[in-house]
C-alpha cells in the first residue's frame, strides 16, 4: 500500500506553492514566442512508436535505450513522447499545414518521457519549451531562432550561459566525414562501448555524442566536421554567424557538438551553463532539413530548439535569480453566523469579478482561527462580518500590514470601493 503514496522514480510534483515559478518562466516563453510570430501547437502525449523511431532516429540513445514503449489492448505499439519535434512534424504532415503558407511557425510546451538514470537535472518525466519552424532554408531563420532562445534566457535573468554553435553539414559532406570518422574510431575498436561499436557502421557521428567518459576522451581527437563541410553548408554557416554577429549575440564555434537526435543537418547549437554541474545544457537545437521527408512528406527544410524547464529552474536557483511572488489574497472575509456567510458569499463573487483574489472560511472555524488563516495565506486585507455589520450594512476593512481600517458599506458599491482601496494603498501587499 505504501507504494501508492510514492511518486514514480524520476518524476517530480510541482506543488501549489511552487507553481508560480513555472508560470513565470512559461509566461516569458509565451511572450517571446509571440513576439517572433510563433503560435502554440499541442499534440498528444503518445504517438505510434514508428514515428519516434523514424523521426528521432534509430541510432540515438533516445530510441535505443530510453523510450517508454508499450502495446495497447488493440495490439498497437505506442510510445510516450521523448521529445516534441516528432509529434509536431507529424501534425504538420497530417494537417497539410504547408498549404497555409510557409514558414509554419509553432511553439510548444510538452512533458517528455525518457527512461534514463535519474539524477540532478535528469528525470524520467521532464518538461520542455520548444520552437518549430518548417519550410525555410534561410540562415536568417537559424539566427532568428537562436536569438529567440537567447531572448528567453536573458529575460529569465540568467548569467553565465554560453552559446555554442556548429554545423554538421548535409548528407553530401556527411558522407566524406563519416568515412573519416570510421577510419579514426576503428583504431580504438577495443576501447569503445558496445553501443558505439554498433554505431560505428551505421552512424559514426553518434560516437561524438557518447556519454561514456572513455569514449568521450577518444572523441576529443576525432576529425572535425567543420573541415569537411561542402561549399553550400560552409556558406550557410557563415551567414548564420554573420546574422548573429549583427544582432550582437555572442557565441563560440564548438565542432564537437552534434546533438543527440539523428535528424539534424547544418546548424546545431546548445546553450550551456556551468552553474548546475554535469547536466548543464539548458537548450539544444538546430536544423533538420531531412526530417519531413524522412516521415514521408515533401522536402521541407526545418529547424527548432527545445529547452528543459527543470534545468532552467535549477540554474535560476543556483544563480539566486529572484522570481516574483504572485500577488497574495487581496481580501479575506471572516464570518460569524449564517447571515454573515451568505453576505460574504455575495460580496466575494463581486470582488473576484474585479480581478482580485478573495477568500472566506469554508472549513467552519471560529473567528480567531479564521484570522490566523488569513495571516498565514498573507491576505492583504481582512474584514470581519457578524450580525452587527449585517444590521448596520457596513464593515471595517483592515490593512493587515499597517492595521489601518477603512469603513465600507456592504452594498453594491463594496467591491468597486475595495478595489480602489487596494490600488491607492499598496502597503497592504507584502510582496
Ligand atoms: P543531454 O545531452 O543532457 O542528455 P539531450 O541532447 O538528450 O540532452 P534534447 O533531446 O536536445 O537533450 O532535449 C533538449 C533539452 O531538454 C536538454 O537541453 C535538457 O535541458 C532537457 N532534457 C533532456 N533530457 C532531460 C532529462 N532526462 N531530464 C531533464 N531535462 C532533460
Ligand atoms: Mg539525453
Amino acid at each position: 500500500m505504501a507504494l501508492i503514496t510514492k511518486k514514480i522514480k524520476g518524476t517530480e510534483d510541482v506543488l501549489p506553492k511552487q507553481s508560480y515559478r513555472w508560470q513565470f518562466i512559461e509566461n516569458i516563453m509565451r511572450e517571446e514566442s509571440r513576439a517572433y510570430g510563433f503560435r502554440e501547437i499541442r499534440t498528444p502525449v503518445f504517438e505510434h512508436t514508428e514515428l519516434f523511431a523514424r523521426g528521432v532516429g534509430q541510432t540515438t540513445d533516445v530510441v535505443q535505450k530510453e523510450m517508454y514503449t508499450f502495446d495497447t489492448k488493440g495490439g498497437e505499439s505506442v510510445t510516450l513522447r521523448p521529445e516534441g519535434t516528432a509529434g509536431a512534424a507529424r501534425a504538420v504532415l497530417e494537417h497539410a499545414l504547408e498549404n497555409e503558407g510557409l514558414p509554419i511557425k509553432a511553439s510548444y510546451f510538452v512533458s517528455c518521457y525518457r527512461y534514463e538514470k535519474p539524477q540532478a537535472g535528469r528525470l524520467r518525466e521532464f518538461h520542455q519549451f520548444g520552437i518549430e519552424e518548417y519550410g525555410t532554408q534561410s540562415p536568417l531563420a537559424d539566427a532568428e531562432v537562436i536569438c529567440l532562445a537567447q531572448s528567453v534566457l536573458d529575460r529569465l535573468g540568467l548569467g553565465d550561459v554560453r552559446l555554442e554553435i556548429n554545423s554538421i553539414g548535409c548528407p553530401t559532406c556527411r558522407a566524406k566525414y563519416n568515412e573519416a570518422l570510421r577510419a579514426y574510431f576503428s583504431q580504438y575498436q577495443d576501447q569503445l562501448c558496445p553501443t558505439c561499436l554498433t554505431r560505428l557502421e551505421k552512424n559514426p557521428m553518434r560516437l561524438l555524442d557518447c556519454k561514456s567518459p572513455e569514449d568521450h576522451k577518444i572523441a576529443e581527437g576525432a576529425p572535425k566536421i567543420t573541415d569537411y563541410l561542402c561549399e553550400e553548408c560552409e556558406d550557410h554557416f557563415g551567414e548564420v554567424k554573420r546574422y548573429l554577429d549583427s544582432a550582437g549575440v555572442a557565441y563560440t564555434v564548438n565542432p564537437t557538438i552534434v546533438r543527440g537526435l539523428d535528424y539534424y543537418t547544418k546548424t546545431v547549437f546548445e546553450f550551456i551553463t556551468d552553474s548546475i554541474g554535469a547536466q548543464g545544457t539548458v537548450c539544444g537545437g538546430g536544423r533538420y532539413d531531412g526530417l519531413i521527408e524522412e516521415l514521408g512528406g515533401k522536402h521541407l527544410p526545418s529547424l527548432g530548439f527545445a529547452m528543459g524547464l527543470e534545468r532552467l529552474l535549477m540554474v535560476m536557483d543556483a544563480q539566486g535569480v529572484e522570481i516574483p511572488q504572485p500577488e497574495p489574497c487581496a481580501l479575506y472575509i471572516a464570518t460569524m453566523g449564517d447571515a454573515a456567510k451568505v453576505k460574504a458569499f455575495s460580496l466575494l463573487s463581486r470582488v473576484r469579478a474585479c480581478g482580485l483574489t478573495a477568500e472566506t472560511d469554508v472549513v467552519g472555524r471560529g473567528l480567531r482561527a479564521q484570522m490566523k488563516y488569513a495571516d498565514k495565506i498573507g491576505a492583504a486585507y481582512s474584514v470581519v462580518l457578524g450580525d452587527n455589520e449585517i444590521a448596520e450594512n457596513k464593515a471595517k476593512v483592515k490593512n493587515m500590514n499597517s492595521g489601518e481600517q477603512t469603513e465600507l458599506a456592504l452594498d453594491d458599491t463594496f467591491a468597486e470601493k475595495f478595489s480602489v482601496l487596494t490600488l491607492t494603498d499598496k502597503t497592504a501587499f507584502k510582496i
Side-chain angles (χ1 to χ4, degrees), residues 134 145 194 314 367 385 408 418:
Y134 300 91
V145 159
M314 278 174 70
L367 185 59
L385 297 190
L408 294 182
F418 174 69

Side-chain angles (χ1 to χ4, degrees), residues 62 83 114 116 121-124 126 128 209 211 259-261 264 270 279 281-284 306-308 310-311:
V62 169
E83 51 90 64
R114 296 185 192 176
E116 298 197 73
R122 200 172 284 290
L123 293 155
R124 289 180 172 172
F126 63 98
Q128 287 182 342
D209 206 28
K211 296 261 170 3
R259 304 289 312 131
L261 314 183
Y264 281 96
E270 290 187 350
Q279 269 39 267
T281 306
V282 290
C283 174
M307 287 185 184
E310 283 85 355
R311 282 194 202 171

